[in-house]
Amino acid sequence: MSDSAIHAIAGAAGGVVAMTATYPLIFLSTRAAVETKNEQKSTYQAILDIIKREGVLGLYSGLNSSLLGIAVTNGVYYYFYERSREILLRSKTGSKALSTLESMLSGLIAGSATTLISNPIWVVQTSQAVRTLGSGSNQPAIIKKLGFFETVQNILAKDGLGAFWRGIGPALILVMNPIIQYTAFEQLKNLLIARRTNKLRAAGAAQAVAAVVVLSDLDFFLLGAISKLAATSLTYPYIVVKSRLQAGSANSLKYKSAFDGLLTILKEEGVEGLYKGIGSKVVQSVLTAAILFAGQRRIFEVTKKVRAA
């Protein structure tokens, strides 16, 4: 098994762990992004309202499709990213670190492939998450929740096969999110390794020239958190447009394009409309990325040791 395949398996497993730990925050941010009413609710109040109407399990609506989605997304992304990275590194002489442009190219290839393959799963997840959104805040939800395959059948019956690629425009634009994330991660990692290597040499360690600086799980956790914070903060307005298109909401049907969606939201809901749900999304994204980077690295190393044994 190649390192790229192991990276893909480790990325999928790490993503499932991270998604399970943070899913209620994903659910809340998706609901907030799709909602067009100008209600000002804290995350805490939103949680209480959902529990009151749908019970605690309401916070996990769409979890099954999300776990499938994150496993496919991360598996495909890591595979294509690592394969692209290996090819670029083999073509280089001397330096064994990717430049910023090379990191972005690897991210573009991996992100585009991942988006095209996984978009149908995220359409199903978004549809499940917002299915009971129209019920009144003071009334228990009476709309029947659908499982993954029931939701697939429902989308096919109502909107046809093409509906599974709703929101593909902003989703492809959002390829910039992991490009920013992984580029920031790669460059911050290189900077950290360089600084620690220089400290070793400055300290006069005899083996410093040949020493290889190894980053800890905490290093990967923090680097993952910082890089995802930058990526999500910069691209969030397109996340709002993508969520509305994938949900198939009535308001989103009038968006002629992703950019027109941004202008329409800005005109009808103001700047706040472009950042609905960003609080819970940033917290969730940062925690997920931090757990993913640390977990993926650990799973990758354990898998390699098991294979070598």
Side-chain angles (χ1 to χ4, degrees):
M1 187 184 296
S2 68
D3 279 2
S4 296
I6 299 175
H7 273 294
I9 293 169
V16 167
V17 172
M19 176 68 76
T20 303
T22 63
Y23 187 76
L25 291 170
I26 297 173
F27 177 81
L28 289 171
S29 65
T30 301
R31 283 271 185 112
V34 172
E35 181 60 79
T36 56
K37 296 176 184 176
N38 286 319
E39 286 185 298
Q40 296 296 327
K41 283 185 184 179
S42 66
T43 299
Y44 177 70
Q45 186 58 51
I47 290 172
L48 290 182
D49 285 350
I50 290 168
I51 291 175
K52 183 178 180 180
R53 290 187 290 119
E54 304 172 43
V56 175
L57 292 180
L59 293 170
Y60 291 88
S61 293
L63 176 61
N64 53 355
S65 51
S66 285
L67 292 180
L68 174 61
I70 201 67
V72 171
T73 297
N74 283 5
V76 172
Y77 192 93
Y78 269 101
Y79 179 80
F80 279 95
Y81 184 84
E82 291 299 329
R83 285 292 293 170
S84 302
R85 186 173 179 274
E86 286 175 12
I87 292 169
L88 288 171
L89 287 175
R90 278 201 299 267
S91 68
K92 292 170 67 110
T93 55
S95 173
K96 287 301 178 183
L98 294 182
S99 67
T100 301
L101 186 60
E102 289 166 338
S103 293
M104 293 179 71
L105 178 59
S106 296
L108 178 63
I109 294 169
S112 299
T114 302
T115 298
L116 292 170
I117 292 169
S118 66
N119 198 75
I121 301 173
W122 295 117
V123 168
V124 173
Q125 184 273 328
T126 305
S127 298
Q128 287 181 303
V130 304
R131 183 169 171 76
T132 59
L133 189 59
S135 57
S137 60
N138 295 318
Q139 298 295 327
I142 57 174
I143 300 173
K144 180 188 175 184
K145 293 179 183 176
L146 301 180
F148 180 83
F149 291 107
E150 288 176 311
T151 304
V152 169
Q153 291 173 342
N154 187 52
I155 292 172
L156 278 172
K158 285 177 60 180
D159 304 311
L161 188 62
F164 290 105
W165 277 271
R166 286 190 302 227
I168 193 67
L172 284 170
I173 293 171
L174 281 168
V175 166
M176 285 302 298
N177 185 294
I179 289 176
I180 295 169
Q181 177 188 354
Y182 282 84
T183 300
F185 177 84
E186 195 75 29
Q187 299 311 310
L188 287 171
K189 183 182 75 172
N190 293 342
L191 180 63
L192 186 58
I193 290 173
R195 285 188 63 183
R196 290 186 180 175
T197 301
N198 289 335
K199 280 186 178 181
L200 278 176
R201 290 173 179 167
Q207 72 278 24
V209 175
V212 177
V213 174
V214 178
L215 300 183
S216 67
D217 289 342
L218 180 60
D219 291 326
F220 277 87
F221 186 93
L222 293 175
L223 290 174
I226 294 168
S227 58
K228 190 62 176 181
L229 176 62
T232 299
S233 299
L234 290 170
T235 60
Y236 192 75
Y238 272 104
I239 293 175
V240 170
V241 176
K242 184 196 72 167
S243 295
R244 292 187 182 189
L245 288 169
Q246 288 183 336
S249 61
N251 282 293
S252 71
L253 297 178
K254 59 189 176 186
Y255 301 161
K256 297 174 184 176
S257 64
F259 185 67
D260 182 62
L262 290 177
L263 294 179
T264 302
I265 293 170
L266 192 61
K267 180 181 177 181
E268 296 181 354
E269 303 170 47
V271 176
E272 289 182 359
L274 295 173
Y275 291 91
K276 282 186 173 178
I278 191 171
S280 52
K281 180 63 178 179
V282 166
V283 173
Q284 176 270 321
S285 295
V286 169
L287 284 176
T288 298
I291 295 169
L292 171 61
F293 276 102
Q296 191 271 345
R297 171 181 173 270
R298 178 58 60 194
I299 295 168
F300 174 77
E301 290 180 350
V302 169
T303 305
K304 287 208 73 171
K305 285 179 182 178
V306 169
R307 287 185 65 244

